[in-house]
Amino acid sequence: MHVSVVGSGYVGTTIAACFADLGHEVTSVDIDETVVDAINDGEAPIHEPGLDPLVSVYGGDQLRATTDYDAIADTDVTFLALPTPKHDDGSIDTSIMEAGAESVGEAIADKDDYHLVVVKSTVVPGTTEDTLTPILESASGKTAGEDFGVAVNPEFLREGTAVDDFMEPDKIVVGTDGDGRALDRLAEVYEPLVLQWDVPVFETGRREAEMIKYANNAFLASKVSLINDIGNICKEYGVDAYEVAEAIGLDDRIGERFLRSGVGWGGSCFPKDTAAIIQHARDAGYEPRMLEAAVEVNDRQPERLLDLLDDHVDADGERIAVLGLAFKPGTDDIRNSRAIPVIEGLRERGAEIIAYDPVAASEMAGRFPGIEYAESAAAALDGASGAVVVTDWDEFGTLDEEFDAMADPVVVDGRRIVERREGITYEGLTW
Ligand SMILES: NC(=O)C1=CN([C@@H]2O[C@H](COP(=O)(O)OP(=O)(O)OC[C@H]3O[C@@H](n4cnc5c(N)ncnc54)[C@H](O)[C@@H]3O)[C@@H](O)[C@H]2O)C=CC1
Ligand SMILES: O=C(O)[C@H]1O[C@H](OP(=O)(O)OP(=O)(O)OC[C@H]2O[C@@H](n3ccc(=O)[nH]c3=O)[C@H](O)[C@@H]2O)[C@H](O)[C@@H](O)[C@@H]1O
Protein backbone atom coordinates (compact mmCIF):
# COMPACT_ATOMS: atom_id res chain seq x y z
CA MET A 1 0.00 0.00 0.00
CA HIS A 2 1.22 3.54 -0.74
CA VAL A 3 0.49 5.78 2.25
CA SER A 4 0.87 9.55 2.48
CA VAL A 5 1.17 11.48 5.73
CA VAL A 6 0.57 15.24 5.85
CA GLY A 7 2.50 16.94 8.66
CA SER A 8 5.85 15.61 9.87
CA GLY A 9 5.88 16.50 13.55
CA TYR A 10 5.82 14.16 16.56
CA VAL A 11 2.91 12.15 15.22
CA GLY A 12 3.45 12.50 11.47
CA THR A 13 7.11 11.49 11.44
CA THR A 14 6.53 8.64 13.87
CA ILE A 15 3.66 7.10 11.95
CA ALA A 16 5.35 7.65 8.56
CA ALA A 17 8.52 5.85 9.69
CA CYS A 18 6.49 3.09 11.34
CA PHE A 19 4.29 2.61 8.25
CA ALA A 20 7.48 2.19 6.21
CA ASP A 21 8.71 -0.36 8.74
CA LEU A 22 5.39 -2.22 8.37
CA GLY A 23 6.19 -2.61 4.66
CA HIS A 24 4.27 0.29 3.12
CA GLU A 25 5.64 2.81 0.67
CA VAL A 26 5.32 6.21 2.36
CA THR A 27 5.22 9.82 1.17
CA SER A 28 5.42 12.57 3.79
CA VAL A 29 4.23 16.08 3.01
CA ASP A 30 5.26 19.08 5.09
CA ILE A 31 5.48 22.81 4.39
CA ASP A 32 8.81 23.07 6.23
CA GLU A 33 11.71 22.42 3.84
CA THR A 34 14.15 21.72 6.67
CA VAL A 35 11.86 18.95 7.94
CA VAL A 36 11.52 17.50 4.43
CA ASP A 37 15.29 17.63 3.83
CA ALA A 38 16.02 16.02 7.19
CA ILE A 39 13.74 13.05 6.45
CA ASN A 40 15.18 12.56 2.96
CA ASP A 41 18.67 12.70 4.47
CA GLY A 42 17.68 9.92 6.88
CA GLU A 43 17.45 12.12 9.98
CA ALA A 44 14.42 12.43 12.25
CA PRO A 45 13.33 16.09 12.49
CA ILE A 46 12.29 15.61 16.15
CA HIS A 47 13.91 14.06 19.23
CA GLU A 48 12.11 10.76 19.84
CA PRO A 49 13.74 7.52 21.05
CA GLY A 50 13.79 4.81 18.38
CA LEU A 51 12.88 7.14 15.53
CA ASP A 52 16.37 7.93 14.22
CA PRO A 53 17.15 4.29 13.34
CA LEU A 54 13.90 3.96 11.37
CA VAL A 55 14.31 7.25 9.49
CA SER A 56 17.94 6.44 8.72
CA VAL A 57 16.89 3.13 7.14
CA TYR A 58 13.83 4.34 5.20
CA GLY A 59 14.33 8.11 4.76
CA GLY A 60 14.88 9.15 1.13
CA ASP A 61 14.01 5.64 0.00
CA GLN A 62 10.85 3.81 1.10
CA LEU A 63 9.93 6.98 3.04
CA ARG A 64 10.18 10.07 0.86
CA ALA A 65 9.33 13.57 2.02
CA THR A 66 8.19 16.49 -0.12
CA THR A 67 6.62 19.94 0.14
CA ASP A 68 4.49 19.13 -2.92
CA TYR A 69 0.92 18.12 -2.07
CA ASP A 70 0.45 16.79 -5.62
CA ALA A 71 2.44 13.70 -4.60
CA ILE A 72 -0.66 12.61 -2.65
CA ALA A 73 -2.52 11.70 -5.85
CA ASP A 74 -0.16 8.75 -6.37
CA THR A 75 -0.94 7.31 -2.94
CA ASP A 76 -3.88 5.17 -1.77
CA VAL A 77 -4.56 6.77 1.59
CA THR A 78 -3.64 10.10 3.22
CA PHE A 79 -3.28 10.62 6.99
CA LEU A 80 -3.68 14.21 8.19
CA ALA A 81 -1.29 14.66 11.14
CA LEU A 82 -1.38 18.44 11.36
CA PRO A 83 -1.37 20.55 14.54
CA THR A 84 -4.67 21.45 16.21
CA PRO A 85 -3.65 24.25 18.62
CA LYS A 86 -6.03 26.20 20.84
CA HIS A 87 -7.36 29.72 20.67
CA ASP A 88 -6.98 32.05 23.68
CA ASP A 89 -10.36 30.91 25.06
CA GLY A 90 -9.20 27.26 24.93
CA SER A 91 -11.30 26.30 21.91
CA ILE A 92 -9.70 24.31 19.10
CA ASP A 93 -8.09 26.15 16.18
CA THR A 94 -8.75 24.03 13.09
CA SER A 95 -7.32 26.51 10.59
CA ILE A 96 -4.22 24.39 9.82
CA MET A 97 -6.39 21.30 9.35
CA GLU A 98 -8.67 23.29 7.04
CA ALA A 99 -5.69 24.47 4.96
CA GLY A 100 -4.40 20.88 4.82
CA ALA A 101 -7.81 19.52 3.77
CA GLU A 102 -8.03 22.08 1.00
CA SER A 103 -4.59 21.15 -0.34
CA VAL A 104 -5.42 17.42 -0.17
CA GLY A 105 -8.74 18.05 -1.95
CA GLU A 106 -6.98 19.93 -4.76
CA ALA A 107 -4.36 17.19 -5.03
CA ILE A 108 -6.94 14.43 -5.58
CA ALA A 109 -9.22 16.50 -7.85
CA ASP A 110 -8.03 14.79 -11.04
CA LYS A 111 -7.53 11.35 -9.56
CA ASP A 112 -9.72 8.65 -11.11
CA ASP A 113 -9.33 6.01 -8.41
CA TYR A 114 -10.88 5.97 -4.96
CA HIS A 115 -8.80 7.77 -2.31
CA LEU A 116 -9.14 7.61 1.48
CA VAL A 117 -8.46 10.65 3.69
CA VAL A 118 -7.87 9.83 7.36
CA VAL A 119 -8.00 12.42 10.14
CA LYS A 120 -5.22 11.41 12.54
CA SER A 121 -5.05 14.75 14.39
CA THR A 122 -7.07 15.35 17.53
CA VAL A 123 -10.23 17.27 16.56
CA VAL A 124 -13.42 17.97 18.52
CA PRO A 125 -16.52 15.90 17.64
CA GLY A 126 -18.13 17.06 14.42
CA THR A 127 -15.00 18.67 12.90
CA THR A 128 -14.47 15.96 10.28
CA GLU A 129 -18.07 15.86 9.11
CA ASP A 130 -19.01 19.51 9.47
CA THR A 131 -15.78 21.29 8.57
CA LEU A 132 -13.18 19.10 6.86
CA THR A 133 -15.37 16.94 4.60
CA PRO A 134 -17.10 19.94 2.95
CA ILE A 135 -13.66 21.51 2.29
CA LEU A 136 -12.38 18.25 0.78
CA GLU A 137 -15.49 18.05 -1.40
CA SER A 138 -15.35 21.61 -2.70
CA ALA A 139 -11.58 21.56 -3.31
CA SER A 140 -11.73 18.23 -5.15
CA GLY A 141 -15.09 18.67 -6.87
CA LYS A 142 -15.85 15.12 -5.69
CA THR A 143 -18.41 13.57 -3.35
CA ALA A 144 -17.34 12.07 -0.03
CA GLY A 145 -18.47 8.49 0.46
CA GLU A 146 -18.61 7.98 -3.31
CA ASP A 147 -15.46 9.26 -5.04
CA PHE A 148 -13.34 9.34 -1.93
CA GLY A 149 -13.67 8.27 1.68
CA VAL A 150 -13.13 10.12 4.98
CA ALA A 151 -12.23 8.34 8.20
CA VAL A 152 -11.18 9.33 11.72
CA ASN A 153 -8.33 7.35 13.28
CA PRO A 154 -7.09 9.07 16.47
CA GLU A 155 -3.58 8.47 17.77
CA PHE A 156 -2.76 7.48 21.35
CA LEU A 157 1.05 7.45 21.29
CA ARG A 158 3.02 9.26 24.00
CA GLU A 159 6.06 11.43 23.44
CA GLY A 160 9.22 9.68 24.59
CA THR A 161 7.78 6.24 23.76
CA ALA A 162 6.07 7.12 20.49
CA VAL A 163 7.56 4.39 18.29
CA ASP A 164 6.87 1.58 20.77
CA ASP A 165 3.37 2.91 21.48
CA PHE A 166 2.53 3.05 17.77
CA MET A 167 4.04 -0.34 16.96
CA GLU A 168 2.31 -2.11 19.87
CA PRO A 169 -0.93 -0.21 20.51
CA ASP A 170 -3.63 -1.07 23.06
CA LYS A 171 -6.26 -0.43 20.43
CA ILE A 172 -6.87 0.99 16.97
CA VAL A 173 -9.95 3.20 16.71
CA VAL A 174 -11.45 3.66 13.26
CA GLY A 175 -14.39 5.98 12.73
CA THR A 176 -16.05 5.50 9.36
CA ASP A 177 -19.76 5.16 10.19
CA GLY A 178 -19.65 1.76 8.55
CA ASP A 179 -18.09 2.83 5.23
CA GLY A 180 -16.90 -0.55 3.91
CA ARG A 181 -14.31 0.73 1.45
CA ALA A 182 -12.74 3.00 4.08
CA LEU A 183 -12.68 0.13 6.59
CA ASP A 184 -11.06 -2.23 4.08
CA ARG A 185 -8.34 0.25 3.22
CA LEU A 186 -7.55 0.98 6.87
CA ALA A 187 -7.56 -2.73 7.62
CA GLU A 188 -4.90 -3.20 4.94
CA VAL A 189 -2.79 -0.37 6.38
CA TYR A 190 -2.87 -1.80 9.91
CA GLU A 191 -2.93 -5.51 9.02
CA PRO A 192 0.73 -6.21 9.98
CA LEU A 193 0.18 -4.73 13.46
CA VAL A 194 -3.15 -6.37 14.05
CA LEU A 195 -1.82 -9.79 13.04
CA GLN A 196 1.33 -9.48 15.12
CA TRP A 197 -0.23 -8.29 18.37
CA ASP A 198 -3.86 -9.24 17.96
CA VAL A 199 -4.71 -5.56 18.50
CA PRO A 200 -8.39 -4.82 19.04
CA VAL A 201 -9.76 -2.70 16.20
CA PHE A 202 -12.66 -0.59 17.43
CA GLU A 203 -14.97 0.31 14.55
CA THR A 204 -17.24 3.24 15.25
CA GLY A 205 -18.66 6.51 13.92
CA ARG A 206 -16.53 9.50 13.00
CA ARG A 207 -17.88 11.69 15.82
CA GLU A 208 -17.46 8.85 18.29
CA ALA A 209 -13.85 8.33 17.18
CA GLU A 210 -13.18 12.04 17.66
CA MET A 211 -14.75 11.95 21.13
CA ILE A 212 -12.90 8.75 22.13
CA LYS A 213 -9.61 10.61 21.75
CA TYR A 214 -10.73 13.47 24.04
CA ALA A 215 -12.29 11.07 26.53
CA ASN A 216 -9.04 9.09 26.64
CA ASN A 217 -6.91 12.16 27.37
CA ALA A 218 -9.50 13.72 29.69
CA PHE A 219 -9.71 10.50 31.69
CA LEU A 220 -5.92 10.18 32.06
CA ALA A 221 -5.46 13.86 32.95
CA SER A 222 -8.30 13.63 35.48
CA LYS A 223 -6.83 10.45 36.95
CA VAL A 224 -3.59 12.31 37.65
CA SER A 225 -5.50 15.29 39.05
CA LEU A 226 -7.54 13.01 41.30
CA ILE A 227 -4.43 11.36 42.71
CA ASN A 228 -2.95 14.84 43.15
CA ASP A 229 -6.06 15.94 45.06
CA ILE A 230 -5.80 12.82 47.22
CA GLY A 231 -2.06 13.42 47.56
CA ASN A 232 -2.66 16.97 48.78
CA ILE A 233 -4.98 15.59 51.50
CA CYS A 234 -2.33 12.99 52.35
CA LYS A 235 0.29 15.70 52.76
CA GLU A 236 -1.89 17.59 55.28
CA TYR A 237 -2.12 14.49 57.48
CA GLY A 238 1.39 13.06 57.05
CA VAL A 239 0.14 10.18 54.92
CA ASP A 240 2.32 8.78 52.11
CA ALA A 241 0.28 9.20 48.90
CA TYR A 242 2.54 6.77 47.01
CA GLU A 243 1.68 3.93 49.38
CA VAL A 244 -1.98 4.83 49.07
CA ALA A 245 -1.69 4.84 45.26
CA GLU A 246 0.13 1.49 45.24
CA ALA A 247 -2.65 -0.11 47.25
CA ILE A 248 -5.58 1.34 45.32
CA GLY A 249 -3.82 0.49 42.04
CA LEU A 250 -4.12 -3.19 42.94
CA ASP A 251 -7.85 -2.86 42.37
CA ASP A 252 -8.30 -3.83 38.71
CA ARG A 253 -11.04 -1.26 38.37
CA ILE A 254 -8.54 1.51 39.21
CA GLY A 255 -5.28 0.15 37.77
CA GLU A 256 -1.76 1.04 38.83
CA ARG A 257 -0.75 3.37 35.98
CA PHE A 258 -1.07 7.16 35.96
CA LEU A 259 -1.20 7.33 39.74
CA ARG A 260 2.04 9.25 40.25
CA SER A 261 1.09 12.34 42.21
CA GLY A 262 3.20 15.48 42.13
CA VAL A 263 3.53 18.79 40.36
CA GLY A 264 0.98 17.87 37.70
CA TRP A 265 0.58 17.29 34.00
CA GLY A 266 1.93 19.32 31.11
CA GLY A 267 2.86 18.63 27.51
CA SER A 268 1.43 19.48 24.14
CA CYS A 269 -1.83 17.58 24.55
CA PHE A 270 -3.42 17.17 28.01
CA PRO A 271 -3.66 20.95 28.60
CA LYS A 272 -4.76 21.69 25.02
CA ASP A 273 -7.21 18.82 24.75
CA THR A 274 -8.88 19.31 28.15
CA ALA A 275 -9.28 23.02 27.30
CA ALA A 276 -10.74 22.24 23.87
CA ILE A 277 -13.29 19.70 25.06
CA ILE A 278 -14.34 21.93 27.99
CA GLN A 279 -14.91 24.82 25.58
CA HIS A 280 -16.71 22.54 23.10
CA ALA A 281 -19.02 21.38 25.90
CA ARG A 282 -19.71 24.98 26.96
CA ASP A 283 -20.50 25.91 23.36
CA ALA A 284 -23.26 23.30 23.55
CA GLY A 285 -24.52 24.72 26.86
CA TYR A 286 -22.98 22.08 29.17
CA GLU A 287 -20.60 22.97 32.00
CA PRO A 288 -18.22 19.97 32.48
CA ARG A 289 -17.47 20.40 36.19
CA MET A 290 -15.26 17.35 36.68
CA LEU A 291 -12.94 18.38 33.88
CA GLU A 292 -12.85 21.98 35.06
CA ALA A 293 -11.84 20.72 38.51
CA ALA A 294 -9.12 18.50 36.99
CA VAL A 295 -7.61 21.54 35.29
CA GLU A 296 -7.93 23.66 38.45
CA VAL A 297 -6.16 21.08 40.63
CA ASN A 298 -3.43 20.82 38.01
CA ASP A 299 -2.97 24.57 37.82
CA ARG A 300 -2.47 24.80 41.59
CA GLN A 301 0.20 22.11 42.05
CA PRO A 302 3.21 24.28 41.05
CA GLU A 303 2.21 26.93 43.61
CA ARG A 304 1.82 24.23 46.27
CA LEU A 305 5.38 23.11 45.47
CA LEU A 306 6.63 26.67 45.98
CA ASP A 307 4.59 27.07 49.19
CA LEU A 308 6.53 24.11 50.59
CA LEU A 309 9.79 25.80 49.63
CA ASP A 310 8.57 29.00 51.35
CA ASP A 311 8.14 27.00 54.57
CA HIS A 312 11.93 26.55 54.68
CA VAL A 313 13.56 29.30 52.61
CA ASP A 314 12.84 32.94 51.88
CA ALA A 315 13.76 32.71 48.19
CA ASP A 316 14.18 36.48 47.76
CA GLY A 317 17.77 37.03 46.63
CA GLU A 318 18.65 33.37 47.21
CA ARG A 319 20.07 30.94 44.67
CA ILE A 320 17.41 28.28 43.98
CA ALA A 321 18.03 25.23 41.76
CA VAL A 322 15.30 23.96 39.42
CA LEU A 323 15.94 20.31 38.52
CA GLY A 324 14.10 19.26 35.36
CA LEU A 325 12.59 21.47 32.66
CA ALA A 326 10.99 19.04 30.16
CA PHE A 327 7.27 18.29 30.66
CA LYS A 328 8.26 14.68 31.35
CA PRO A 329 11.43 12.60 31.11
CA GLY A 330 12.59 11.25 27.73
CA THR A 331 11.83 14.39 25.75
CA ASP A 332 13.19 17.90 25.18
CA ASP A 333 9.61 19.18 24.84
CA ILE A 334 8.84 22.02 27.29
CA ARG A 335 5.33 22.83 26.04
CA ASN A 336 3.19 23.51 29.14
CA SER A 337 5.92 22.04 31.32
CA ARG A 338 5.23 22.54 35.03
CA ALA A 339 8.72 24.07 35.14
CA ILE A 340 7.28 27.20 33.50
CA PRO A 341 4.92 28.22 36.35
CA VAL A 342 7.56 27.09 38.86
CA ILE A 343 10.17 29.41 37.29
CA GLU A 344 7.63 32.23 37.09
CA GLY A 345 6.75 31.76 40.78
CA LEU A 346 10.41 31.77 41.78
CA ARG A 347 10.99 34.95 39.79
CA GLU A 348 8.06 36.61 41.55
CA ARG A 349 9.74 35.69 44.84
CA GLY A 350 12.95 37.38 43.68
CA ALA A 351 14.99 34.16 43.56
CA GLU A 352 18.22 33.82 41.60
CA ILE A 353 17.36 30.76 39.50
CA ILE A 354 19.81 28.14 38.29
CA ALA A 355 18.12 25.49 36.17
CA TYR A 356 19.24 22.11 34.88
CA ASP A 357 17.79 19.56 32.46
CA PRO A 358 19.73 16.87 30.56
CA VAL A 359 18.12 17.74 27.19
CA ALA A 360 15.59 20.58 27.49
CA ALA A 361 17.76 23.47 28.76
CA SER A 362 18.26 25.12 25.37
CA GLU A 363 14.50 24.97 24.71
CA MET A 364 13.82 26.63 28.06
CA ALA A 365 16.55 29.22 27.42
CA GLY A 366 14.44 30.35 24.45
CA ARG A 367 11.55 30.94 26.83
CA PHE A 368 13.51 32.27 29.83
CA PRO A 369 16.78 33.70 28.48
CA GLY A 370 17.44 35.65 31.68
CA ILE A 371 18.06 32.73 34.04
CA GLU A 372 21.19 30.67 34.51
CA TYR A 373 21.45 27.13 33.08
CA ALA A 374 23.83 24.61 34.63
CA GLU A 375 25.68 21.82 32.81
CA SER A 376 24.81 19.25 35.47
CA ALA A 377 22.54 18.73 38.45
CA ALA A 378 25.62 18.92 40.67
CA ALA A 379 26.54 22.35 39.25
CA ALA A 380 22.96 23.58 39.76
CA LEU A 381 22.94 22.44 43.40
CA ASP A 382 26.39 23.87 44.21
CA GLY A 383 25.84 26.83 46.55
CA ALA A 384 22.03 26.81 46.21
CA SER A 385 19.83 27.59 49.20
CA GLY A 386 17.04 25.35 47.97
CA ALA A 387 16.14 23.00 45.13
CA VAL A 388 12.85 22.11 43.50
CA VAL A 389 12.46 18.93 41.42
CA VAL A 390 10.04 19.30 38.52
CA THR A 391 10.80 16.42 36.10
CA ASP A 392 11.38 12.79 37.10
CA TRP A 393 14.59 12.17 35.16
CA ASP A 394 16.19 8.95 36.45
CA GLU A 395 19.50 10.70 37.09
CA PHE A 396 17.92 12.74 39.90
CA GLY A 397 17.31 9.50 41.75
CA THR A 398 21.05 8.89 41.99
CA LEU A 399 21.92 12.32 43.47
CA ASP A 400 23.45 12.00 46.91
CA GLU A 401 26.57 13.88 48.09
CA GLU A 402 25.78 16.56 45.45
CA PHE A 403 23.33 17.92 48.05
CA ASP A 404 26.20 18.46 50.49
CA ALA A 405 27.49 21.29 48.25
CA MET A 406 24.27 23.27 48.77
CA ALA A 407 24.41 26.38 50.97
CA ASP A 408 21.23 25.11 52.62
CA PRO A 409 20.20 21.57 51.60
CA VAL A 410 16.43 22.10 51.24
CA VAL A 411 14.94 19.83 48.58
CA VAL A 412 11.28 20.09 47.54
CA ASP A 413 10.53 17.11 45.33
CA GLY A 414 7.60 17.44 42.93
CA ARG A 415 8.08 13.96 41.41
CA ARG A 416 9.21 11.64 44.22
CA ILE A 417 12.49 10.91 42.52
CA VAL A 418 15.14 12.12 45.00
CA GLU A 419 16.08 9.72 47.80
CA ARG A 420 15.06 11.11 51.18
CA ARG A 421 18.17 10.90 53.38
CA GLU A 422 19.96 12.22 56.45
CA GLY A 423 21.51 15.65 56.04
CA ILE A 424 18.91 17.19 53.72
CA THR A 425 15.65 18.89 54.54
CA TYR A 426 13.38 16.91 52.25
CA GLU A 427 9.79 17.82 51.41
CA GLY A 428 7.71 15.66 49.08
CA LEU A 429 4.76 17.41 47.46
CA THR A 430 2.25 14.71 48.39
CA TRP A 431 4.08 12.51 50.89
N1 LIG B 1 2.46 15.03 20.11
C1 LIG B 1 1.82 13.93 20.51
O1 LIG B 1 2.34 13.16 21.32
C2 LIG B 1 0.45 13.60 20.00
C3 LIG B 1 -0.25 14.50 19.20
N2 LIG B 1 -1.52 14.18 18.75
C4 LIG B 1 -2.23 15.09 17.87
O2 LIG B 1 -1.64 14.99 16.55
C5 LIG B 1 -1.71 16.25 15.88
C6 LIG B 1 -0.32 16.66 15.43
O3 LIG B 1 0.47 16.91 16.58
P1 LIG B 1 2.06 16.93 16.55
O4 LIG B 1 2.58 15.83 15.70
O5 LIG B 1 2.49 17.01 17.97
O6 LIG B 1 2.34 18.33 15.79
P2 LIG B 1 3.72 19.04 15.52
O7 LIG B 1 3.54 20.47 15.85
O8 LIG B 1 4.82 18.27 16.16
O9 LIG B 1 3.96 18.89 13.92
C7 LIG B 1 3.16 19.39 12.93
C8 LIG B 1 3.87 19.41 11.57
O10 LIG B 1 2.93 19.91 10.60
C9 LIG B 1 3.62 20.77 9.69
N3 LIG B 1 2.65 21.65 9.05
C10 LIG B 1 2.03 22.76 9.55
N4 LIG B 1 1.15 23.25 8.66
C11 LIG B 1 1.19 22.44 7.56
C12 LIG B 1 0.49 22.40 6.32
N5 LIG B 1 -0.45 23.30 6.01
N6 LIG B 1 0.80 21.40 5.45
C13 LIG B 1 1.74 20.49 5.74
N7 LIG B 1 2.42 20.47 6.91
C14 LIG B 1 2.16 21.43 7.80
C15 LIG B 1 4.64 21.47 10.56
O11 LIG B 1 5.69 22.00 9.77
C16 LIG B 1 5.09 20.33 11.50
O12 LIG B 1 6.19 19.63 10.96
C17 LIG B 1 -2.39 17.21 16.87
O13 LIG B 1 -3.77 17.23 16.62
C18 LIG B 1 -2.13 16.56 18.23
O14 LIG B 1 -3.12 16.91 19.17
C19 LIG B 1 -2.10 12.97 19.04
C20 LIG B 1 -1.43 12.04 19.80
C21 LIG B 1 -0.11 12.28 20.34
O1 LIG C 1 -2.71 13.15 22.85
C1 LIG C 1 -1.53 13.12 23.12
O2 LIG C 1 -0.69 13.91 22.66
C2 LIG C 1 -0.97 12.12 24.07
O3 LIG C 1 -1.06 12.69 25.41
C3 LIG C 1 -0.50 11.88 26.43
O4 LIG C 1 0.87 11.61 26.18
P1 LIG C 1 2.06 12.63 26.56
O5 LIG C 1 1.51 14.01 26.74
O6 LIG C 1 3.14 12.40 25.58
O7 LIG C 1 2.65 12.17 27.97
P2 LIG C 1 2.12 11.36 29.27
O8 LIG C 1 3.06 10.27 29.53
O9 LIG C 1 0.69 11.03 29.16
O10 LIG C 1 2.33 12.47 30.40
C4 LIG C 1 1.56 13.67 30.42
C5 LIG C 1 1.85 14.45 31.67
O11 LIG C 1 1.27 13.81 32.82
C6 LIG C 1 2.22 13.70 33.84
N1 LIG C 1 1.94 12.48 34.64
C7 LIG C 1 1.73 11.29 34.01
C8 LIG C 1 1.47 10.15 34.73
C9 LIG C 1 1.39 10.22 36.13
O12 LIG C 1 1.14 9.22 36.86
N2 LIG C 1 1.61 11.42 36.73
C10 LIG C 1 1.89 12.56 36.02
O13 LIG C 1 2.05 13.66 36.61
C11 LIG C 1 3.58 13.65 33.14
O14 LIG C 1 4.62 14.07 33.98
C12 LIG C 1 3.34 14.62 32.00
O15 LIG C 1 3.59 15.95 32.40
C13 LIG C 1 -1.25 10.54 26.45
O16 LIG C 1 -0.67 9.68 27.44
C14 LIG C 1 -1.19 9.86 25.08
O17 LIG C 1 -1.97 8.67 25.09
C15 LIG C 1 -1.75 10.83 24.02
O18 LIG C 1 -1.68 10.27 22.72
Side-chain angles (χ1 to χ4, degrees):
M1 169 114 9
H2 192 162
V3 177
S4 46
V5 179
V6 177
S8 300
Y10 281 92
V11 170
T13 308
T14 303
I15 68 170
C18 291
F19 282 144
D21 200 45
L22 294 177
H24 301 306
E25 193 181 339
V26 183
T27 300
S28 285
V29 181
D30 201 287
I31 47 170
D32 188 335
E33 299 229 11
T34 56
V35 165
V36 166
D37 290 344
I39 293 172
N40 288 333
D41 289 344
E43 288 161 20
I46 50 153
H47 172 86
E48 187 58 46
L51 195 54
D52 275 327
L54 291 180
V55 179
S56 76
V57 170
Y58 302 112
D61 184 16
Q62 201 181 320
L63 162 61
R64 276 177 214 280
T66 176
T67 54
D68 182 7
Y69 268 87
D70 287 343
I72 284 171
D74 296 328
T75 70
D76 304 303
V77 50
T78 302
F79 287 81
L80 288 173
L82 291 167
T84 47
K86 60 179 172 124
H87 289 119
D88 288 344
D89 68 354
S91 63
I92 187 171
D93 175 356
T94 55
S95 57
I96 302 173
M97 288 297 284
E98 291 172 41
E102 184 160 359
S103 301
V104 171
E106 287 164 0
I108 60 168
D110 297 327
K111 184 173 174 177
D112 293 328
D113 302 333
Y114 174 81
H115 192 88
L116 179 64
V117 180
V118 183
V119 176
K120 190 49 133 172
S121 299
T122 303
V123 292
V124 292
T127 306
T128 301
E129 267 179 284
D130 302 339
T131 306
L132 302 178
T133 302
I135 293 173
L136 285 163
E137 286 186 317
S138 75
S140 65
K142 293 171 184 278
T143 306
E146 289 177 20
D147 311 315
F148 70 96
V150 183
V152 177
N153 169 225
E155 182 51 54
F156 302 97
L157 62 78
R158 291 161 299 167
E159 285 180 29
T161 51
V163 172
D164 289 348
D165 287 347
F166 184 80
M167 288 305 233
E168 202 176 334
D170 291 342
K171 59 180 178 269
I172 296 169
V173 174
V174 287
T176 67
D177 294 286
D179 178 337
R181 275 191 301 181
L183 282 171
D184 287 349
R185 201 152 280 196
L186 276 168
E188 213 178 312
V189 171
Y190 284 111
E191 189 181 22
L193 278 186
V194 173
L195 288 180
Q196 188 178 359
W197 304 109
D198 201 17
V199 184
V201 177
F202 194 90
E203 295 178 9
T204 184
R206 296 174 183 87
R207 283 168 195 262
E208 285 74 14
E210 291 166 331
M211 189 64 198
I212 286 165
K213 173 63 194 177
Y214 282 96
N216 219 93
N217 273 358
F219 207 94
L220 291 170
S222 302
K223 189 174 182 186
V224 176
S225 280
L226 182 54
I227 199 65
N228 282 340
D229 217 16
I230 289 170
N232 294 340
I233 301 171
C234 289
K235 182 71 181 176
E236 296 300 328
Y237 288 98
V239 174
D240 184 334
Y242 274 69
E243 287 206 15
V244 173
E246 196 178 334
I248 63 173
L250 294 173
D251 187 324
D252 276 350
R253 294 168 301 173
I254 295 173
E256 64 188 15
R257 298 175 72 189
F258 271 68
L259 284 181
R260 290 184 60 80
S261 55
V263 71
W265 35 268
S268 67
C269 288
F270 281 0
K272 159 178 90 68
D273 293 346
T274 46
I277 201 65
I278 286 171
Q279 197 53 43
H280 203 51
R282 286 181 185 151
D283 288 347
Y286 178 71
E287 206 60 41
R289 302 216 184 276
M290 280 285 290
L291 283 179
E292 288 167 351
V295 173
E296 200 181 315
V297 168
N298 195 55
D299 287 345
R300 285 194 191 154
Q301 291 306 91
E303 199 51 39
R304 287 185 64 87
L305 185 86
L306 295 177
D307 285 348
L308 282 172
L309 182 72
D310 292 341
D311 290 346
H312 301 278
V313 187
D314 177 0
D316 192 9
E318 295 294 326
R319 188 175 167 85
I320 305 293
V322 176
L323 298 186
L325 300 170
F327 86 93
K328 68 173 192 178
T331 177
D332 62 352
D333 196 341
I334 59 154
R335 288 179 285 181
N336 292 297
S337 168
R338 301 294 79 195
I340 294 169
V342 166
I343 289 171
E344 282 166 349
L346 285 170
R347 273 156 61 120
E348 279 162 21
R349 286 164 171 77
E352 182 198 323
I353 301 165
I354 169 114
Y356 167 71
D357 189 284
V359 296
S362 59
E363 288 291 323
M364 198 57 96
R367 169 89 192 226
F368 293 111
I371 66 173
E372 204 180 321
Y373 294 88
E375 288 297 318
S376 65
L381 292 170
D382 195 3
S385 302
V388 288
V389 183
V390 185
T391 315
D392 38 345
W393 287 104
D394 283 345
E395 65 172 275
F396 299 152
T398 63
L399 293 172
D400 189 6
E401 67 264 21
E402 289 84 350
F403 294 114
D404 298 337
M406 293 178 75
D408 189 1
V410 174
V411 180
V412 183
D413 191 350
R415 296 289 183 191
R416 203 191 183 112
I417 184 79
V418 169
E419 281 289 329
R420 190 194 291 262
R421 71 153 171 89
E422 289 287 310
I424 60 175
T425 305
Y426 179 93
E427 284 277 9
L429 185 50
T430 58
W431 55 97

